[in-house]
Amino acid sequence: MKKLMLTCAAAALISTGAMAQSTVVTTTGTGHAAAVQIEPEYRTKIRTYVTEHKVRPVETREKIVVGQPVPRDVELEAVPADWGPSLTKYRYVYSGERVMLVDPSTRTVVQEID
């Protein structure tokens, strides 16, 4: 009986670990679980947009980094349609010569456009 309980407990732990691993997925510009993959042509469009439209960088006390929320006092800008259809659900912030893609529901930075 003891052996059966130990086997069941071990199986439960193993299956829980497998389920946790399956939730971390690298996306192709459609989500934000691990990273948002942006094709090089769209990265170029984004950099060109920021340069041509002379987007003014925001200044914050804390550095804006991937995986962290953007401060509440920073205004998030709408992503233009020509950045790609899979990115329009995001917003962006231009800070420190970097474009940061932000999930508007959590204000979390999901990708830095270099």
Side-chain angles (χ1 to χ4, degrees):
M1 182 69 167
K2 212 179 213 185
K3 190 173 186 178
L4 177 61
M5 288 181 65
L6 286 173
T7 303
C8 289
L13 285 173
I14 290 170
S15 66
T16 303
M19 288 175 57
Q21 290 175 355
S22 66
T23 60
V24 179
V25 178
T26 300
T27 63
T28 309
T30 59
H32 61 274
V36 177
Q37 299 297 320
I38 303 171
E39 298 297 321
E41 67 188 70
Y42 288 111
R43 288 180 179 276
T44 301
K45 284 183 182 185
I46 293 167
R47 285 190 297 271
T48 301
Y49 178 90
V50 171
T51 303
E52 288 179 354
H53 289 86
K54 298 182 179 169
V55 175
R56 195 180 83 197
V58 297
E59 295 182 22
T60 60
R61 293 171 70 183
E62 305 91 24
K63 185 175 179 179
I64 297 175
V65 296
V66 175
Q68 295 298 313
V70 175
R72 289 271 170 213
D73 60 335
V74 173
E75 186 175 346
L76 302 178
E77 300 293 332
V79 169
D82 65 340
W83 286 16
S86 62
L87 299 182
T88 57
K89 69 179 181 178
Y90 297 104
R91 300 293 179 263
Y92 79 94
V93 171
Y94 182 56
S95 174
E97 297 187 17
R98 300 170 301 136
V99 177
M100 309 300 276
L101 207 56
V102 179
D103 178 340
S105 64
T106 62
R107 297 185 63 88
T108 301
V109 177
V110 295
Q111 181 71 43
E112 178 180 341
I113 313 298
D114 49 7

